[in-house]
Amino acid sequence: TQTVSQSDAHVTVFEGDSVELRCNYSYGGSIYLSWYIQHHGRGLQFLLKYYSGNPVVQGVNGFEAEFSKSDSSFHLRKASVHWSDSAVYFCAVSANYAQGLTFGLGTRVSVFP
Amino acid sequence: GALVYQYPRRTICKSGTSMRMECQAVGFQATSVAWYRQSPQKTFELIALSTVNSAIKYEQNFTQEKFPISHPNLSFSSMTVLNAYLEDRGLYLCGAREHYNYAEQFFGPGTRLTVL
């Protein structure tokens, strides 16, 4: 069984700042990782994914994430946030890409002007 | 592009009654559909994973008797919440994907269920 941990419940940043959202997972084998964003009252929007290859993956809207097997992590980053990035961000894992996802508790990002 | 629609977007039902929700994939083949629930102030829980021409796999704490799912073709799935009670309220999402390597799940906007 895989588990995922997002250590920060809430992150506050100013527009133009960089942000890093942490995600750590536990699973012994190959793992499929992804990040999703949920704006208030809405569903989930896909940001990016990793399964193999280059550990740094680029996503939509300037987001990127880096996979680290040694740290069991898949942290999400953005160099310069915009107010529209205010949302809840979910890290998700599965044992392979064909299975359902296990989600973290989410990190709420508040971007102030 | 790949889109997933869910219907209805919001629904209210009386305690003890049932409610059916639908999920439609457009622009790709929904070989597998996963249903999730986000209870108030919580994260998303996987209810079940349905793959066309395969048995539906339910997660622990969720059963076919309570959440029957239909996935008759590569564009449509439905799930019913039978005998709904307060603990069943929340946002129900369907995530659909094609079966090629590393394909991501595309999510619909969800059906928000309120139980009175």
Side-chain angles (χ1 to χ4, degrees):
Chain A
T1 303
Q2 59 275 7
T3 63
V4 57
S5 168
Q6 292 180 249
S7 54
D8 299 313
H10 193 187
V11 171
T12 301
V13 291
F14 290 96
E15 206 165 18
D17 284 353
S18 63
V19 69
E20 179 177 86
L21 307 182
R22 290 190 291 246
C23 173
N24 291 89
Y25 65 90
S26 64
Y27 185 67
S30 297
I31 198 157
Y32 177 85
L33 297 144
S34 50
W35 277 94
Y36 288 84
I37 180 174
Q38 183 185 32
H39 286 101
H40 180 69
R42 311 278 291 274
L44 289 176
Q45 179 186 350
F46 173 79
L47 285 179
L48 46 74
K49 66 185 178 191
Y50 172 83
Y51 188 67
S52 65
N54 189 337
V56 179
V57 291
Q58 305 295 324
V60 298
N61 297 335
F63 286 97
E64 70 171 31
E66 183 167 3
F67 168 71
S68 171
K69 187 173 182 179
S70 58
D71 293 339
S72 298
S73 69
F74 190 55
H75 302 328
L76 180 72
R77 300 189 292 250
K78 186 168 182 177
S80 177
V81 296
H82 186 262
W83 64 267
S84 60
D85 294 323
S86 295
V88 181
Y89 291 77
F90 291 93
C91 180
V93 304
S94 67
N96 68 63
Y97 55 86
Q99 294 187 1
L101 300 174
T102 299
F103 286 89
L105 294 179
T107 297
R108 179 175 298 280
V109 174
S110 298
V111 181
F112 290 95
Chain B
L3 292 171
V4 176
Y5 295 97
Q6 286 189 250
Y7 180 83
R9 294 291 303 275
R10 293 176 178 272
T11 186
I12 301 172
C13 67
K14 289 184 177 181
S15 182
T17 64
S18 299
M19 186 275 149
R20 181 172 179 264
M21 55 191 75
E22 299 178 349
C23 173
Q24 177 126 28
V26 176
F28 70 105
Q29 294 185 327
T31 311
S32 69
V33 173
W35 286 92
Y36 301 83
R37 178 175 70 192
Q38 184 184 36
S39 300
Q41 309 304 320
K42 291 190 176 180
T43 190
F44 296 91
E45 287 181 280
L46 177 64
I47 297 171
L49 178 68
S50 170
T51 303
V52 171
N53 298 325
S54 295
I56 299 171
K57 183 177 180 297
Y58 285 82
E59 293 296 298
Q60 195 173 10
N61 301 326
F62 297 97
T63 65
Q64 182 181 2
E65 290 70 31
K66 172 73 174 177
F67 300 96
I69 289 170
S70 171
H71 187 187
N73 56 52
L74 292 172
S75 63
F76 182 82
S77 177
S78 66
M79 183 177 75
T80 301
V81 181
L82 293 175
N83 199 16
Y85 286 99
L86 192 62
E87 59 265 27
D88 294 318
R89 64 194 170 125
L91 181 68
Y92 288 80
L93 289 190
C94 83
R97 62 178 294 277
E98 288 185 281
H99 267 199
Y100 63 85
N101 286 349
Y102 320 137
E104 62 265 30
Q105 282 191 11
F106 293 103
F107 285 88
T111 294
R112 189 167 296 280
L113 173 63
T114 300
V115 181
L116 300 178

Short mmCIF file of all heavy atoms in Angstrom, two decimals, chain B residues 3-61:
data_model
loop_
_atom_site.label_atom_id
_atom_site.label_comp_id
_atom_site.label_asym_id
_atom_site.label_seq_id
_atom_site.Cartn_x
_atom_site.Cartn_y
_atom_site.Cartn_z
N LEU B 3 -11.79 15.96 -22.29
CA LEU B 3 -12.68 16.56 -21.30
C LEU B 3 -13.50 15.48 -20.62
O LEU B 3 -13.83 14.46 -21.22
CB LEU B 3 -13.62 17.56 -21.97
CG LEU B 3 -13.00 18.84 -22.54
CD1 LEU B 3 -14.03 19.61 -23.34
CD2 LEU B 3 -12.44 19.70 -21.42
N VAL B 4 -13.83 15.76 -19.37
CA VAL B 4 -14.71 14.87 -18.61
C VAL B 4 -15.85 15.70 -18.05
O VAL B 4 -15.61 16.70 -17.37
CB VAL B 4 -13.94 14.15 -17.48
CG1 VAL B 4 -14.90 13.29 -16.65
CG2 VAL B 4 -12.81 13.31 -18.04
N TYR B 5 -17.06 15.28 -18.34
CA TYR B 5 -18.24 15.95 -17.83
C TYR B 5 -18.89 15.09 -16.75
O TYR B 5 -18.87 13.86 -16.82
CB TYR B 5 -19.25 16.19 -18.96
CG TYR B 5 -18.77 17.14 -20.02
CD1 TYR B 5 -18.21 16.65 -21.20
CD2 TYR B 5 -18.86 18.51 -19.84
CE1 TYR B 5 -17.76 17.52 -22.18
CE2 TYR B 5 -18.40 19.39 -20.82
CZ TYR B 5 -17.85 18.88 -21.98
OH TYR B 5 -17.40 19.74 -22.95
N GLN B 6 -19.45 15.76 -15.78
CA GLN B 6 -20.19 15.04 -14.74
C GLN B 6 -21.55 15.71 -14.59
O GLN B 6 -21.69 16.93 -14.63
CB GLN B 6 -19.44 15.06 -13.41
CG GLN B 6 -18.24 14.13 -13.41
CD GLN B 6 -17.63 13.97 -12.05
OE1 GLN B 6 -16.52 14.45 -11.79
NE2 GLN B 6 -18.32 13.27 -11.16
N TYR B 7 -22.54 14.87 -14.33
CA TYR B 7 -23.91 15.34 -14.17
C TYR B 7 -24.61 14.56 -13.06
O TYR B 7 -24.44 13.34 -12.98
CB TYR B 7 -24.68 15.16 -15.48
CG TYR B 7 -26.10 15.62 -15.38
CD1 TYR B 7 -26.44 16.97 -15.53
CD2 TYR B 7 -27.13 14.71 -15.09
CE1 TYR B 7 -27.75 17.40 -15.40
CE2 TYR B 7 -28.44 15.13 -14.96
CZ TYR B 7 -28.74 16.48 -15.12
OH TYR B 7 -30.03 16.90 -14.98
N PRO B 8 -25.35 15.19 -12.19
CA PRO B 8 -25.50 16.64 -12.08
C PRO B 8 -24.31 17.28 -11.38
O PRO B 8 -23.49 16.57 -10.81
CB PRO B 8 -26.77 16.77 -11.22
CG PRO B 8 -26.72 15.57 -10.33
CD PRO B 8 -26.14 14.47 -11.18
N ARG B 9 -24.19 18.57 -11.40
CA ARG B 9 -23.11 19.25 -10.71
C ARG B 9 -23.41 19.33 -9.21
O ARG B 9 -22.51 19.25 -8.39
CB ARG B 9 -22.92 20.65 -11.28
CG ARG B 9 -22.42 20.67 -12.71
CD ARG B 9 -20.99 20.16 -12.81
NE ARG B 9 -20.08 20.93 -11.98
CZ ARG B 9 -19.50 22.06 -12.33
NH1 ARG B 9 -19.72 22.57 -13.53
NH2 ARG B 9 -18.69 22.69 -11.51
N ARG B 10 -24.67 19.52 -8.89
CA ARG B 10 -25.08 19.56 -7.48
C ARG B 10 -26.39 18.82 -7.33
O ARG B 10 -27.23 18.84 -8.22
CB ARG B 10 -25.30 21.01 -7.02
CG ARG B 10 -24.06 21.85 -6.97
CD ARG B 10 -24.39 23.28 -6.60
NE ARG B 10 -23.19 24.09 -6.49
CZ ARG B 10 -22.46 24.22 -5.39
NH1 ARG B 10 -22.85 23.60 -4.29
NH2 ARG B 10 -21.38 24.96 -5.37
N THR B 11 -26.54 18.17 -6.20
CA THR B 11 -27.80 17.49 -5.94
C THR B 11 -28.06 17.40 -4.45
O THR B 11 -27.11 17.37 -3.65
CB THR B 11 -27.81 16.09 -6.59
OG1 THR B 11 -29.10 15.51 -6.45
CG2 THR B 11 -26.79 15.18 -5.94
N ILE B 12 -29.31 17.39 -4.11
CA ILE B 12 -29.71 17.27 -2.71
C ILE B 12 -30.66 16.09 -2.63
O ILE B 12 -31.57 15.96 -3.45
CB ILE B 12 -30.42 18.55 -2.22
CG1 ILE B 12 -29.50 19.76 -2.36
CG2 ILE B 12 -30.87 18.38 -0.76
CD1 ILE B 12 -30.18 21.08 -2.07
N CYS B 13 -30.44 15.24 -1.65
CA CYS B 13 -31.38 14.14 -1.49
C CYS B 13 -31.70 13.95 -0.01
O CYS B 13 -30.94 14.38 0.87
CB CYS B 13 -30.83 12.84 -2.08
SG CYS B 13 -29.41 12.14 -1.23
N LYS B 14 -32.84 13.37 0.23
CA LYS B 14 -33.24 13.10 1.61
C LYS B 14 -32.50 11.89 2.14
O LYS B 14 -32.18 10.97 1.38
CB LYS B 14 -34.75 12.85 1.68
CG LYS B 14 -35.60 14.09 1.44
CD LYS B 14 -37.06 13.75 1.63
CE LYS B 14 -37.92 15.00 1.46
NZ LYS B 14 -39.37 14.70 1.65
N SER B 15 -32.26 11.90 3.41
CA SER B 15 -31.58 10.79 4.06
C SER B 15 -32.34 9.49 3.80
O SER B 15 -33.58 9.44 3.90
CB SER B 15 -31.51 11.06 5.56
OG SER B 15 -30.83 10.04 6.22
N GLY B 16 -31.62 8.45 3.39
CA GLY B 16 -32.23 7.16 3.12
C GLY B 16 -32.63 6.95 1.66
O GLY B 16 -33.00 5.84 1.28
N THR B 17 -32.54 7.99 0.86
CA THR B 17 -32.87 7.84 -0.56
C THR B 17 -31.59 7.63 -1.37
O THR B 17 -30.49 7.67 -0.83
CB THR B 17 -33.63 9.06 -1.10
OG1 THR B 17 -32.79 10.22 -1.02
CG2 THR B 17 -34.89 9.30 -0.29
N SER B 18 -31.76 7.42 -2.66
CA SER B 18 -30.61 7.11 -3.52
C SER B 18 -30.43 8.19 -4.57
O SER B 18 -31.37 8.91 -4.91
CB SER B 18 -30.81 5.75 -4.19
OG SER B 18 -30.92 4.74 -3.20
N MET B 19 -29.22 8.25 -5.09
CA MET B 19 -28.90 9.30 -6.04
C MET B 19 -27.87 8.78 -7.06
O MET B 19 -26.88 8.17 -6.67
CB MET B 19 -28.34 10.49 -5.25
CG MET B 19 -28.07 11.72 -6.04
SD MET B 19 -26.46 11.65 -6.80
CE MET B 19 -26.79 12.62 -8.25
N ARG B 20 -28.17 9.00 -8.33
CA ARG B 20 -27.30 8.50 -9.40
C ARG B 20 -26.55 9.66 -10.04
O ARG B 20 -27.12 10.72 -10.30
CB ARG B 20 -28.14 7.80 -10.46
CG ARG B 20 -27.37 7.22 -11.63
CD ARG B 20 -28.29 6.38 -12.50
NE ARG B 20 -27.63 5.81 -13.66
CZ ARG B 20 -27.64 6.34 -14.87
NH1 ARG B 20 -28.26 7.48 -15.09
NH2 ARG B 20 -27.01 5.75 -15.87
N MET B 21 -25.25 9.46 -10.29
CA MET B 21 -24.44 10.49 -10.93
C MET B 21 -23.74 9.90 -12.15
O MET B 21 -23.44 8.70 -12.18
CB MET B 21 -23.44 11.07 -9.94
CG MET B 21 -22.55 10.07 -9.26
SD MET B 21 -21.63 10.77 -7.88
CE MET B 21 -22.88 10.92 -6.61
N GLU B 22 -23.49 10.76 -13.13
CA GLU B 22 -22.96 10.28 -14.40
C GLU B 22 -21.64 10.96 -14.75
O GLU B 22 -21.36 12.08 -14.31
CB GLU B 22 -23.99 10.56 -15.51
CG GLU B 22 -25.31 9.86 -15.30
CD GLU B 22 -26.32 10.17 -16.38
OE1 GLU B 22 -26.07 11.09 -17.19
OE2 GLU B 22 -27.36 9.49 -16.42
N CYS B 23 -20.87 10.26 -15.56
CA CYS B 23 -19.56 10.75 -15.96
C CYS B 23 -19.39 10.45 -17.45
O CYS B 23 -19.58 9.31 -17.88
CB CYS B 23 -18.49 10.02 -15.14
SG CYS B 23 -16.79 10.34 -15.63
N GLN B 24 -19.03 11.47 -18.21
CA GLN B 24 -18.87 11.29 -19.66
C GLN B 24 -17.51 11.81 -20.11
O GLN B 24 -17.15 12.94 -19.80
CB GLN B 24 -19.97 12.06 -20.39
CG GLN B 24 -19.86 11.99 -21.90
CD GLN B 24 -21.14 11.51 -22.55
OE1 GLN B 24 -22.21 11.70 -22.02
NE2 GLN B 24 -21.01 10.89 -23.71
N ALA B 25 -16.78 10.98 -20.83
CA ALA B 25 -15.49 11.37 -21.38
C ALA B 25 -15.66 11.79 -22.83
O ALA B 25 -16.32 11.10 -23.60
CB ALA B 25 -14.51 10.20 -21.29
N VAL B 26 -15.04 12.90 -23.18
CA VAL B 26 -15.12 13.41 -24.55
C VAL B 26 -13.72 13.68 -25.06
O VAL B 26 -12.90 14.27 -24.36
CB VAL B 26 -15.94 14.72 -24.60
CG1 VAL B 26 -15.95 15.31 -26.00
CG2 VAL B 26 -17.37 14.46 -24.12
N GLY B 27 -13.43 13.19 -26.25
CA GLY B 27 -12.12 13.45 -26.85
C GLY B 27 -11.08 12.39 -26.57
O GLY B 27 -9.94 12.52 -27.01
N PHE B 28 -11.44 11.37 -25.82
CA PHE B 28 -10.53 10.26 -25.58
C PHE B 28 -11.35 9.06 -25.13
O PHE B 28 -12.53 9.17 -24.84
CB PHE B 28 -9.48 10.62 -24.53
CG PHE B 28 -10.01 10.77 -23.12
CD1 PHE B 28 -9.78 9.78 -22.16
CD2 PHE B 28 -10.76 11.87 -22.74
CE1 PHE B 28 -10.27 9.91 -20.87
CE2 PHE B 28 -11.24 12.02 -21.46
CZ PHE B 28 -11.01 11.04 -20.52
N GLN B 29 -10.70 7.92 -25.08
CA GLN B 29 -11.40 6.70 -24.69
C GLN B 29 -11.16 6.42 -23.21
O GLN B 29 -10.01 6.21 -22.79
CB GLN B 29 -10.90 5.51 -25.52
CG GLN B 29 -11.25 5.64 -26.99
CD GLN B 29 -10.85 4.40 -27.78
OE1 GLN B 29 -9.87 3.77 -27.47
NE2 GLN B 29 -11.64 4.06 -28.79
N ALA B 30 -12.22 6.42 -22.45
CA ALA B 30 -12.13 6.20 -21.01
C ALA B 30 -12.07 4.69 -20.74
O ALA B 30 -13.05 4.08 -20.36
CB ALA B 30 -13.31 6.83 -20.30
N THR B 31 -10.89 4.13 -20.95
CA THR B 31 -10.72 2.70 -20.72
C THR B 31 -10.93 2.38 -19.25
O THR B 31 -11.48 1.35 -18.91
CB THR B 31 -9.33 2.25 -21.16
OG1 THR B 31 -9.07 2.74 -22.48
CG2 THR B 31 -9.22 0.75 -21.15
N SER B 32 -10.45 3.23 -18.39
CA SER B 32 -10.71 3.04 -16.96
C SER B 32 -11.28 4.32 -16.37
O SER B 32 -10.94 5.42 -16.79
CB SER B 32 -9.45 2.62 -16.21
OG SER B 32 -8.53 3.69 -16.17
N VAL B 33 -12.17 4.12 -15.42
CA VAL B 33 -12.78 5.24 -14.71
C VAL B 33 -12.67 4.97 -13.22
O VAL B 33 -13.04 3.89 -12.75
CB VAL B 33 -14.26 5.42 -15.09
CG1 VAL B 33 -14.92 6.48 -14.20
CG2 VAL B 33 -14.40 5.81 -16.55
N ALA B 34 -12.14 5.94 -12.49
CA ALA B 34 -12.04 5.83 -11.04
C ALA B 34 -12.99 6.84 -10.42
O ALA B 34 -13.08 7.98 -10.87
CB ALA B 34 -10.60 6.10 -10.58
N TRP B 35 -13.71 6.40 -9.40
CA TRP B 35 -14.62 7.29 -8.67
C TRP B 35 -14.01 7.61 -7.31
O TRP B 35 -13.52 6.72 -6.62
CB TRP B 35 -15.99 6.63 -8.50
CG TRP B 35 -16.79 6.60 -9.76
CD1 TRP B 35 -16.83 5.61 -10.70
CD2 TRP B 35 -17.69 7.61 -10.23
NE1 TRP B 35 -17.69 5.93 -11.72
CE2 TRP B 35 -18.24 7.16 -11.46
CE3 TRP B 35 -18.11 8.85 -9.74
CZ2 TRP B 35 -19.16 7.91 -12.19
CZ3 TRP B 35 -19.03 9.59 -10.46
CH2 TRP B 35 -19.55 9.11 -11.67
N TYR B 36 -14.07 8.90 -6.96
CA TYR B 36 -13.50 9.37 -5.70
C TYR B 36 -14.55 10.18 -4.95
O TYR B 36 -15.46 10.77 -5.54
CB TYR B 36 -12.29 10.29 -5.94
CG TYR B 36 -11.15 9.67 -6.69
CD1 TYR B 36 -11.16 9.61 -8.08
CD2 TYR B 36 -10.04 9.16 -6.02
CE1 TYR B 36 -10.11 9.05 -8.79
CE2 TYR B 36 -8.98 8.61 -6.72
CZ TYR B 36 -9.02 8.56 -8.09
OH TYR B 36 -7.97 8.01 -8.78
N ARG B 37 -14.36 10.26 -3.65
CA ARG B 37 -15.20 11.14 -2.84
C ARG B 37 -14.31 12.05 -2.01
O ARG B 37 -13.34 11.59 -1.39
CB ARG B 37 -16.10 10.34 -1.90
CG ARG B 37 -16.98 11.23 -0.99
CD ARG B 37 -17.94 10.42 -0.17
NE ARG B 37 -17.29 9.64 0.85
CZ ARG B 37 -17.90 8.68 1.54
NH1 ARG B 37 -19.17 8.36 1.27
NH2 ARG B 37 -17.26 8.02 2.47
N GLN B 38 -14.66 13.33 -1.99
CA GLN B 38 -14.00 14.29 -1.10
C GLN B 38 -15.03 14.73 -0.08
O GLN B 38 -15.93 15.51 -0.39
CB GLN B 38 -13.47 15.50 -1.88
CG GLN B 38 -12.70 16.48 -1.01
CD GLN B 38 -12.26 17.72 -1.76
OE1 GLN B 38 -12.96 18.23 -2.62
NE2 GLN B 38 -11.07 18.21 -1.45
N SER B 39 -14.90 14.22 1.13
CA SER B 39 -15.80 14.63 2.20
C SER B 39 -15.39 16.03 2.67
O SER B 39 -14.26 16.45 2.44
CB SER B 39 -15.73 13.64 3.35
OG SER B 39 -16.12 12.35 2.90
N PRO B 40 -16.29 16.75 3.34
CA PRO B 40 -15.98 18.12 3.76
C PRO B 40 -14.66 18.22 4.54
O PRO B 40 -14.42 17.44 5.46
CB PRO B 40 -17.18 18.49 4.64
CG PRO B 40 -18.30 17.68 4.08
CD PRO B 40 -17.67 16.38 3.66
N GLN B 41 -13.82 19.14 4.13
CA GLN B 41 -12.53 19.40 4.77
C GLN B 41 -11.57 18.21 4.69
O GLN B 41 -10.66 18.11 5.52
CB GLN B 41 -12.73 19.80 6.24
CG GLN B 41 -13.74 20.90 6.46
CD GLN B 41 -13.43 22.16 5.67
OE1 GLN B 41 -12.29 22.54 5.56
NE2 GLN B 41 -14.45 22.79 5.09
N LYS B 42 -11.75 17.35 3.73
CA LYS B 42 -10.88 16.18 3.64
C LYS B 42 -10.29 16.04 2.24
O LYS B 42 -10.58 16.82 1.34
CB LYS B 42 -11.66 14.92 4.01
CG LYS B 42 -12.04 14.85 5.48
CD LYS B 42 -12.59 13.49 5.83
CE LYS B 42 -12.87 13.41 7.32
NZ LYS B 42 -13.41 12.08 7.70
N THR B 43 -9.47 15.03 2.09
CA THR B 43 -8.87 14.79 0.79
C THR B 43 -9.74 13.82 -0.01
O THR B 43 -10.84 13.46 0.41
CB THR B 43 -7.45 14.24 0.93
OG1 THR B 43 -6.83 14.24 -0.37
CG2 THR B 43 -7.43 12.83 1.49
N PHE B 44 -9.27 13.40 -1.15
CA PHE B 44 -10.03 12.53 -2.03
C PHE B 44 -9.77 11.07 -1.68
O PHE B 44 -8.62 10.63 -1.59
CB PHE B 44 -9.65 12.79 -3.49
CG PHE B 44 -10.00 14.17 -3.95
CD1 PHE B 44 -9.08 15.20 -3.84
CD2 PHE B 44 -11.25 14.45 -4.48
CE1 PHE B 44 -9.42 16.49 -4.24
CE2 PHE B 44 -11.58 15.73 -4.89
CZ PHE B 44 -10.66 16.75 -4.76
N GLU B 45 -10.83 10.32 -1.52
CA GLU B 45 -10.74 8.89 -1.25
C GLU B 45 -11.17 8.13 -2.50
O GLU B 45 -12.22 8.43 -3.07
CB GLU B 45 -11.71 8.47 -0.14
CG GLU B 45 -11.35 8.89 1.25
CD GLU B 45 -12.42 8.35 2.21
OE1 GLU B 45 -13.50 8.97 2.29
OE2 GLU B 45 -12.19 7.29 2.84
N LEU B 46 -10.40 7.13 -2.87
CA LEU B 46 -10.77 6.29 -3.99
C LEU B 46 -11.91 5.36 -3.55
O LEU B 46 -11.78 4.66 -2.55
CB LEU B 46 -9.57 5.49 -4.46
CG LEU B 46 -9.80 4.48 -5.59
CD1 LEU B 46 -10.21 5.19 -6.88
CD2 LEU B 46 -8.54 3.65 -5.82
N ILE B 47 -12.99 5.36 -4.32
CA ILE B 47 -14.12 4.48 -4.04
C ILE B 47 -13.92 3.16 -4.78
O ILE B 47 -13.97 2.08 -4.20
CB ILE B 47 -15.45 5.12 -4.45
CG1 ILE B 47 -15.70 6.39 -3.63
CG2 ILE B 47 -16.60 4.13 -4.33
CD1 ILE B 47 -16.88 7.22 -4.12
N ALA B 48 -13.71 3.28 -6.10
CA ALA B 48 -13.57 2.09 -6.92
C ALA B 48 -12.93 2.45 -8.24
O ALA B 48 -12.98 3.60 -8.67
CB ALA B 48 -14.93 1.44 -7.16
N LEU B 49 -12.34 1.45 -8.86
CA LEU B 49 -11.75 1.60 -10.17
C LEU B 49 -12.45 0.64 -11.12
O LEU B 49 -12.51 -0.57 -10.85
CB LEU B 49 -10.26 1.30 -10.12
CG LEU B 49 -9.51 1.38 -11.46
CD1 LEU B 49 -9.44 2.81 -11.95
CD2 LEU B 49 -8.10 0.79 -11.32
N SER B 50 -12.94 1.17 -12.22
CA SER B 50 -13.65 0.36 -13.20
C SER B 50 -12.90 0.38 -14.52
O SER B 50 -12.56 1.45 -15.03
CB SER B 50 -15.07 0.94 -13.41
OG SER B 50 -15.70 0.32 -14.50
N THR B 51 -12.64 -0.78 -15.06
CA THR B 51 -11.98 -0.91 -16.36
C THR B 51 -12.92 -1.67 -17.28
O THR B 51 -13.45 -2.71 -16.89
CB THR B 51 -10.65 -1.65 -16.23
OG1 THR B 51 -9.82 -0.94 -15.28
CG2 THR B 51 -9.92 -1.71 -17.57
N VAL B 52 -13.11 -1.14 -18.49
CA VAL B 52 -14.02 -1.79 -19.44
C VAL B 52 -13.60 -3.24 -19.64
O VAL B 52 -12.43 -3.55 -19.81
CB VAL B 52 -14.02 -1.02 -20.77
CG1 VAL B 52 -14.78 -1.80 -21.82
CG2 VAL B 52 -14.65 0.34 -20.59
N ASN B 53 -14.58 -4.11 -19.60
CA ASN B 53 -14.38 -5.56 -19.79
C ASN B 53 -13.62 -6.23 -18.64
O ASN B 53 -13.12 -7.34 -18.80
CB ASN B 53 -13.67 -5.86 -21.11
CG ASN B 53 -14.47 -5.40 -22.32
OD1 ASN B 53 -15.70 -5.47 -22.29
ND2 ASN B 53 -13.79 -4.93 -23.34
N SER B 54 -13.55 -5.57 -17.51
CA SER B 54 -12.96 -6.17 -16.31
C SER B 54 -13.86 -5.93 -15.11
O SER B 54 -14.74 -5.07 -15.16
CB SER B 54 -11.57 -5.59 -16.03
OG SER B 54 -10.67 -5.92 -17.05
N ALA B 55 -13.60 -6.67 -14.07
CA ALA B 55 -14.41 -6.50 -12.85
C ALA B 55 -14.08 -5.15 -12.21
O ALA B 55 -12.96 -4.66 -12.30
CB ALA B 55 -14.12 -7.63 -11.88
N ILE B 56 -15.06 -4.58 -11.53
CA ILE B 56 -14.86 -3.31 -10.84
C ILE B 56 -14.22 -3.61 -9.48
O ILE B 56 -14.69 -4.47 -8.74
CB ILE B 56 -16.20 -2.58 -10.67
CG1 ILE B 56 -16.80 -2.27 -12.05
CG2 ILE B 56 -16.02 -1.29 -9.86
CD1 ILE B 56 -18.20 -1.75 -12.02
N LYS B 57 -13.17 -2.87 -9.17
CA LYS B 57 -12.45 -3.11 -7.92
C LYS B 57 -12.79 -2.01 -6.92
O LYS B 57 -12.47 -0.84 -7.16
CB LYS B 57 -10.95 -3.15 -8.17
CG LYS B 57 -10.13 -3.46 -6.93
CD LYS B 57 -8.64 -3.55 -7.28
CE LYS B 57 -7.79 -3.86 -6.05
NZ LYS B 57 -7.86 -2.82 -5.03
N TYR B 58 -13.40 -2.40 -5.80
CA TYR B 58 -13.78 -1.46 -4.76
C TYR B 58 -12.70 -1.41 -3.68
O TYR B 58 -12.10 -2.42 -3.33
CB TYR B 58 -15.12 -1.85 -4.13
CG TYR B 58 -16.30 -1.54 -5.02
CD1 TYR B 58 -16.68 -2.41 -6.04
CD2 TYR B 58 -17.02 -0.36 -4.86
CE1 TYR B 58 -17.74 -2.12 -6.87
CE2 TYR B 58 -18.10 -0.06 -5.69
CZ TYR B 58 -18.45 -0.95 -6.69
OH TYR B 58 -19.51 -0.64 -7.52
N GLU B 59 -12.49 -0.22 -3.16
CA GLU B 59 -11.54 -0.04 -2.06
C GLU B 59 -12.20 -0.44 -0.74
O GLU B 59 -13.43 -0.55 -0.64
CB GLU B 59 -11.09 1.41 -1.99
CG GLU B 59 -10.26 1.84 -3.19
CD GLU B 59 -8.96 1.09 -3.31
OE1 GLU B 59 -8.11 1.19 -2.40
OE2 GLU B 59 -8.78 0.37 -4.32
N GLN B 60 -11.32 -0.62 0.25
CA GLN B 60 -11.83 -0.95 1.58
C GLN B 60 -12.76 0.17 2.04
O GLN B 60 -12.50 1.34 1.78
CB GLN B 60 -10.64 -1.10 2.54
CG GLN B 60 -10.98 -1.77 3.83
CD GLN B 60 -9.74 -2.03 4.67
OE1 GLN B 60 -8.66 -1.55 4.37
NE2 GLN B 60 -9.89 -2.81 5.73
N ASN B 61 -13.80 -0.14 2.69
CA ASN B 61 -14.81 0.78 3.21
C ASN B 61 -15.84 1.20 2.17
O ASN B 61 -16.74 1.97 2.48
CB ASN B 61 -14.19 2.04 3.82
CG ASN B 61 -13.24 1.75 4.96
OD1 ASN B 61 -13.45 0.81 5.72
ND2 ASN B 61 -12.19 2.55 5.08
#
